[in-house]
Amino acid sequence: MKISIITMFPEMFGSFLQGPVLRRAVRKGALEIEVVDLKDYAPGSFRHIDDSPFGGGRGMVMRCQPVIDSLRAVAPAAGGKSRIVALTPAGSVFCQKKAREFAQISHLVLVCGHYEGMDERIYRFVDEELSIGDYVLTGGEPAAMVVADAVVRLLPDVLREGSADEESFENGLLEYPQYTQPADYDGMKVPDVLLSGNHALIRRWRRKESLRRTLERRPELLAKAELSEEDEEILRELKMGENLKGGIFPPR
Ligand code: ADE
């Protein structure tokens, strides 16, 4: 797939592009990524990309011309294969499902808004507005990195086989706790079951801890998760009060 990032601050992406997963994706031919500098689309000696808002008020608003010209150059309408996404706190909230959807498309264009926002007319050229959470960043650049990272690691051959399958959100639950050497660190011991070599017991323990975490930390996710009969049984055990720190057992 190809990802184009349109930004006023291309230098912010320097070390991001050098990250191991992105570089691997590019090396494997799974990804082509370009960072497009909006200044290249702002003619004249001032090269201004933003201007003060009509109606007054503080801050600067990104102008139509540089952004729309860059979109026309990067994603020509012919073929219509590009998905144009603007990063803004006013968008719908990005999630793993959306990352999986984006990993299937051939060209993703991420437009980073800045300052007080973009001229509203720019949104006519945008397919979708996305936010990475309910807080306000100074610009869409960190949000574009979040989205690109979440998508690229799902591309074929980028991660080791299966590594993305079991982690948090992929099955609608939070991930179980992980441990590595040493088995005893300063008196803090790794749970015995993980050292037992009994794969069936380990699988059940992991599923239980995954359910426990989700129940304690994000009970609303359980309502949407696909649960097996075994999961229901584990949840009943947890509900009986087995070391459950808190959290409300959702009605099923
Ligand atoms: N730009 C500023 N805040 C943002 C957010 N939370 N998500 C995406 N883009 C943003």
Side-chain angles (χ1 to χ4, degrees):
M1 87 178 290
K2 179 173 176 180
I3 299 181
S4 305
I5 300 173
I6 297 181
T7 172
M8 290 170 74
F9 301 105
E11 60 285 353
M12 285 179 74
F13 291 87
S15 52
F16 174 68
L17 296 178
Q18 295 306 316
V21 174
L22 246 78
R23 275 176 44 192
R24 189 176 151 89
V26 171
R27 201 173 58 240
K28 292 238 167 192
L31 174 71
E32 184 188 337
I33 186 159
E34 63 174 354
V35 178
V36 178
D37 187 350
L38 274 171
K39 283 191 284 301
D40 293 344
Y41 293 89
S45 51
F46 290 103
R47 296 186 153 230
H48 67 297
I49 299 166
D50 47 15
D51 210 332
S52 43
F54 278 125
R58 281 178 301 125
M60 300 290 266
V61 174
M62 283 166 75
R63 295 169 52 237
C64 286
Q65 176 269 315
V67 181
I68 293 171
D69 281 358
S70 72
L71 283 174
R72 286 193 169 123
V74 162
K81 283 214 182 107
S82 308
R83 179 87 147 262
I84 302 177
V85 175
L87 283 318
T88 154
S92 55
V93 178
F94 183 63
C95 60
Q96 189 66 21
K97 184 164 166 242
K98 191 52 88 179
R100 280 197 297 267
E101 183 187 322
F102 286 169
Q104 303 296 321
I105 64 183
S106 56
H107 187 201
L108 179 64
V109 181
L110 300 173
V111 186
C112 307
H114 231 264
Y115 297 124
E116 305 305 297
M118 301 201 287
D119 189 305
E120 191 60 27
R121 292 165 289 187
I122 293 170
Y123 291 103
R124 294 191 204 175
F125 295 78
V126 164
D127 298 312
E128 194 166 345
E129 294 171 47
L130 280 186
S131 161
I132 57 160
D134 291 339
Y135 39 81
V136 181
L137 305 166
T138 46
E141 283 75 10
M145 292 183 216
V146 166
V147 172
D149 187 279
V151 172
V152 169
R153 60 195 298 289
L154 297 176
L155 297 177
D157 297 332
V158 171
L159 293 189
R160 256 178 294 128
E161 193 77 36
S163 347
D165 299 344
E166 284 204 12
E167 61 203 4
S168 291
F169 300 113
E170 275 305 336
N171 55 20
L173 300 179
L174 302 184
E175 201 185 359
Y176 49 79
Q178 297 271 31
Y179 298 86
T180 186
Q181 300 288 353
D184 182 337
Y185 178 76
D186 224 3
M188 292 181 282
K189 296 204 170 69
V190 171
D192 286 339
V193 59
L194 297 179
L195 312 177
S196 70
N198 183 328
H199 293 295
L201 277 184
I202 292 173
R203 192 199 57 76
R204 193 175 196 280
W205 181 87
R206 285 181 164 164
R207 190 70 188 172
K208 183 170 188 173
E209 294 312 307
S210 192
L211 286 161
R212 183 200 307 277
R213 267 200 176 167
T214 314
L215 187 55
E216 286 177 357
R217 300 179 186 181
R218 301 287 305 276
E220 80 283 5
L221 292 179
L222 275 181
K224 286 188 256 160
E226 267 183 41
L227 299 178
S228 65
E229 268 181 33
E230 186 193 31
D231 292 337
E232 302 281 358
E233 182 190 308
I234 295 174
L235 280 169
R236 274 193 295 277
E237 282 171 32
L238 290 169
K239 194 187 169 193
M240 298 289 276
E242 249 209 32
N243 298 329
L244 186 61
K245 277 190 242 131
I248 302 151
F249 189 73
R252 293 198 51 83

